[in-house]
């Protein structure tokens, strides 16, 4: 061999690549290569058994995915990015593999080659165990850091299919896909914070903090420092290290402002500036810092009336009201009562010793006749109290009637009429409808779904009619 060839960098590089390939091909448990179009151009004898092939010709020219299902080789050939170490499952076995692009003389990617480094993981167990432990530690650390600021509710927790609930869900889902300011309106107990958390969890901010603030619960003298923080030594008695406000804590995530209508006027101007400029100025500081926070506000009062009364700034109202979502009261969604109760009982059972908690149709009928001024929050309270007082965990109409406010007890059935008495048509029709429901319940042994099927009406409609006539369905539970 001429001495000039030995010192030629190009020759050395070419020999190095050939030597590397030869060594890898001998040491590895299998090798396969594809062209730019993802078709197999090379496979070694060692790899045939693992691939379930008898001859090399059975693989040549076929798409790589036909030979190795879910292969990433095509991705390497298309992007030119290697996958240096990976664990691949093939035929029920776990293989340690490496995949690299193949380039021509000009540096253009013309294919990819993969090597099976190990056909069993025994020798890598210490490394894999260490990686698994590090991943576990990382997940634990993330949970510990975010636990206090985590949003636990999703759209699945906001139960119901009535038009008003469906519309609220649809608007909230649309809001989750963007970073717009959202205003949630509705009576107390309708689930405004639940929906705010669901919006956060369905958004790109889900991994960031969810910070909830009840504006009405903060004293006026502290509200500014609570929101915007304080500079070190900002006033007598202030922390010498300073304090981060809620906007800074929620940076990157979502800030939920409950009872926004109770915010003092002097703070409303500052909040408006934050929403417009995305910057805050801590109390006692002359430095302005940027924040990235999505604000979800909620109120159970009429903000427009507060604006007209001069208690709420109109410019802030318009800034908050980019997307308004109205949450319906429970009394307008009684068709969803069975599903809402089932979901609440699941939650109550998870937090206490009520593994066999069930609710009967008679209990649902009694609940449906109450006006629910406290909405879902009050319903949960009633269910939990009923479970505490129940010996069986199976809630009946009597269990519920004992707890509901006076005036909502189960009413006794109307007395029978004397023969020959003619009643108005509407009253007779109502009695016929009630009798039909009773017959269906008796024929189905109290099974609501079966009774509704017999009458060819929906289960929700059946429950509504039960509530209308004050009927208890019998022993079956929901």
């Amino acid at each position: 061999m001429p001495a000039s060839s030995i010192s030629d960098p190009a020759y050395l590089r070419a020999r190095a690549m050939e030597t590397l390939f030869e060594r890898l091909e001998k040491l590895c448990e299998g090798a396969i290569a594809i062209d730019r179009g993802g078709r197999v151009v090379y496979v070694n004898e060692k790899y045939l058994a693992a691939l379930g092939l008898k001859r090399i010709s059975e693989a040549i020219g076929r798409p790589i995915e036909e030979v190795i299902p879910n292969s990433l080789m095509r991705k390497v050939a298309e992007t030119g990015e290697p996958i240096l170490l990976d664990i691949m499952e093939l035929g029920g076995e776990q293989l340690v593999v490496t995949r690299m692009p193949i380039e021509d003389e000009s540096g253009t990617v013309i294919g990819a080659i993969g090597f099976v480094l190990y056909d069993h993981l025994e020798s890598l167990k210490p490394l894999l165990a260490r990686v698994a432990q590090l991943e576990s530690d990382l997940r634990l650390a993330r949970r510990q850091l975010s636990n206090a600021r985590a949003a636990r509710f999703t759209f699945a927790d906001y139960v119901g299919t009535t038009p008003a609930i469906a519309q609220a869900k649809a608007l909230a889902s649309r809001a989750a896909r963007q970073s717009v300011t959202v205003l949630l309106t509705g009576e107390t107990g309708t689930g405004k914070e639940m929906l705010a958390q669901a919006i956060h969890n369905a958004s790109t901010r889900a991994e960031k903090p969810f910070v909830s603030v009840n504006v009405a619960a903060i004293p006026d003298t502290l509200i500014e420092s609570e929101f915007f923080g304080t500079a070190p030594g900002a006033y007598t008695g202030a922390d010498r290290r300073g304090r981060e406000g809620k906007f800074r804590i929620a940076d990157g995530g979502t800030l939920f402002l409950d009872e926004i209508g109770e915010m003092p006027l002097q703070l409303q101007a500052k909040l408006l500036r934050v929403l417009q400029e995305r910057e805050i100025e801590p109390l006692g500081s002359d430095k302005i810092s940027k924040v990235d926070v999505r604000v979800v506000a909620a109120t159970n009062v009429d903000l427009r009336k507060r604006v007209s009364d001069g208690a709420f700034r109109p410019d802030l109202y318009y800034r908050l009201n980019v997307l308004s979502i109205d949450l319906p009261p429970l009394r307008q969604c009684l068709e969803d009562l069975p599903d809402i109760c089932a979901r609440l009982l699941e939650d109550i059972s998870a937090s206490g010793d009520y593994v066999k908690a069930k609710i009967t149709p008679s209990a649902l009928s009694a609940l449906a006749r109450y006006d629910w001024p406290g909405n879902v929050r009050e319903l949960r309270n009633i269910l939990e109290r009923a479970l505490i007082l129940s010996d069986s965990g199976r809630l009946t109409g009597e269990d519920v009637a004992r707890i509901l406010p006076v005036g909502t007890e189960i009413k006794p059935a109307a007395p029978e009429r004397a023969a020959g008495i003619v009643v108005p048509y509407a009253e007779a029709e109502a009695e016929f409808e009630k009798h039909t429901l009773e017959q269906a319940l008796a024929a189905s042994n109290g099974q609501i779904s079966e009774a509704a099927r017999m009458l060819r009406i929906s289960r929700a409609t059946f429950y509504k009619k039960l509530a209308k006539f004050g009927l208890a369905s019998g022993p079956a539970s929901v």
Side-chain angles (χ1 to χ4, degrees):
M1 181 182 296
S4 58
S5 297
I6 297 176
S7 60
D8 182 5
Y11 173 78
L12 288 174
R13 181 174 179 275
R15 286 301 304 148
M17 296 303 295
E18 289 177 15
T19 303
L20 175 62
F21 176 79
E22 290 168 0
R23 290 296 177 91
L24 277 174
E25 207 269 345
K26 287 179 181 178
L27 294 174
C28 74
E29 303 298 330
I32 192 167
I34 62 171
D35 61 17
R36 189 73 169 80
R39 297 189 175 276
V40 177
V41 295
Y42 166 80
V43 62
N44 68 355
E45 294 279 354
K46 289 183 181 180
Y47 211 1
L48 292 179
L51 296 175
L53 304 175
K54 294 182 179 179
R55 294 179 296 276
I56 292 175
S57 59
E58 294 178 24
I60 302 301
R62 292 171 61 187
I64 183 64
E65 293 82 6
E66 290 185 7
V67 181
I68 305 176
N70 304 315
S71 171
L72 298 179
M73 292 280 286
R74 186 185 297 272
K75 179 181 178 182
V76 173
E78 290 176 348
T79 65
E81 296 294 329
I83 302 175
L84 296 179
L85 192 63
D86 192 16
I87 297 176
M88 179 182 75
E89 288 194 7
L90 182 65
E93 298 290 332
Q94 288 186 312
L95 310 177
V96 180
V97 300
T98 185
R99 309 178 185 93
M100 294 176 288
I102 301 173
E103 300 177 354
D104 62 14
E105 294 81 359
S106 65
T108 301
V109 176
I110 59 173
I113 188 165
F115 296 97
V116 178
L117 302 180
Y118 301 96
D119 59 357
H120 54 82
L121 303 184
E122 291 298 323
S123 57
L124 292 181
K125 274 190 174 180
L127 175 61
L128 295 175
R130 179 60 178 156
V131 171
Q133 183 60 49
L134 289 173
E135 289 180 343
S136 177
D137 292 345
L138 179 59
R139 286 193 297 269
L140 177 61
R142 283 175 173 169
R143 281 198 301 268
Q144 290 174 339
L145 287 172
S146 63
N147 185 52
R149 303 296 178 189
R152 68 186 185 95
F153 293 112
T154 65
F155 287 125
D157 296 300
Y158 188 60
V159 177
T161 57
T162 51
I165 289 181
Q167 182 180 17
K169 275 187 180 180
L171 288 173
S173 298
R174 185 178 294 273
R177 297 193 294 268
Q178 305 169 33
S179 285
V180 296
T181 303
V182 180
L183 178 63
L184 304 177
T185 61
E187 297 177 9
T188 182
T190 51
K192 294 187 287 295
E193 181 163 359
M194 175 186 286
L195 200 59
Q197 290 190 20
I199 291 171
H200 173 81
N201 278 330
S203 73
T204 56
R205 299 174 180 265
E207 297 299 321
K208 298 295 183 179
F210 176 89
V211 180
S212 177
V213 182
N214 188 317
V215 177
I218 304 175
D220 290 357
T221 54
L222 298 178
I223 195 165
E224 187 171 353
S225 62
E226 282 289 322
F227 274 91
F228 307 115
T230 57
Y235 51 85
T236 303
D239 194 326
R240 287 180 297 177
R241 294 173 298 177
R243 181 182 179 184
E244 289 189 330
K246 294 296 190 285
F247 271 96
R248 176 55 62 196
I249 295 172
D251 193 21
T254 301
L255 181 61
F256 175 62
L257 303 179
D258 198 9
E259 299 193 53
I260 189 68
E262 306 303 320
M263 178 173 281
L265 275 170
Q266 67 270 19
L267 189 64
Q268 292 178 24
K270 282 203 167 188
L271 176 59
L272 179 62
R273 177 176 176 81
V274 176
L275 294 176
Q276 290 178 336
E277 307 298 333
R278 302 290 177 181
E279 58 187 29
I280 60 172
E281 184 178 350
L283 190 65
S285 173
D286 57 359
K287 294 182 179 179
I288 293 175
S289 59
K290 291 285 185 180
V291 289
D292 175 24
V293 175
R294 183 233 277 276
V295 170
V296 178
T299 182
N300 57 13
V301 300
D302 187 348
L303 281 187
R304 286 173 295 187
K305 185 175 185 306
R306 291 188 70 83
V307 169
S308 63
D309 293 342
F312 204 84
R313 293 178 61 107
D315 46 4
L316 178 58
Y317 169 70
Y318 297 132
R319 191 67 184 82
L320 290 171
N321 197 29
V322 176
L323 178 62
S324 180
I325 303 175
D326 186 47
L327 281 67
L330 181 58
R331 59 184 171 276
Q332 294 179 9
C333 309
L334 292 180
E335 289 186 13
D336 289 320
L337 193 61
D339 293 332
I340 294 173
C341 286
R343 179 65 187 85
L344 290 175
L345 286 174
E346 284 180 15
D347 194 43
I348 294 169
S349 298
S351 61
D353 189 19
Y354 309 110
V355 178
K356 298 181 180 179
K358 295 182 182 299
I359 186 166
T360 64
S362 63
L364 288 168
S365 178
L367 292 172
R369 294 199 301 279
Y370 182 48
D371 198 41
W372 299 109
N375 294 292
V376 177
R377 183 181 292 120
E378 185 181 10
L379 173 60
R380 181 196 167 96
N381 176 269
I382 292 292
L383 291 175
E384 191 161 15
R385 287 168 58 195
L387 282 173
I388 293 171
L389 298 175
S390 171
D391 295 326
S392 65
R394 179 178 175 273
L395 301 184
T396 66
E398 293 180 358
D399 295 325
V400 171
R402 286 198 300 265
I403 298 174
L404 287 173
V406 177
T408 57
E409 297 89 359
I410 298 176
K411 299 174 183 177
E416 293 186 3
R417 300 181 183 277
I421 299 296
V422 178
V423 298
Y425 182 86
E427 190 174 343
E429 185 181 49
E431 288 183 0
F432 172 81
E433 186 177 10
K434 179 182 177 182
H435 181 63
T436 302
L437 293 173
E438 290 172 334
Q439 284 185 317
L441 284 172
S444 65
N445 194 29
Q447 295 292 331
I448 295 296
S449 299
E450 179 63 15
R453 187 190 65 78
M454 290 176 178
L455 298 180
R456 298 183 182 180
I457 59 177
S458 69
R459 192 176 69 160
T461 300
F462 197 98
Y463 275 119
K464 193 172 181 180
K465 291 182 181 296
L466 285 180
K468 175 182 176 183
F469 296 110
L471 293 175
S473 68
S477 62
V478 177

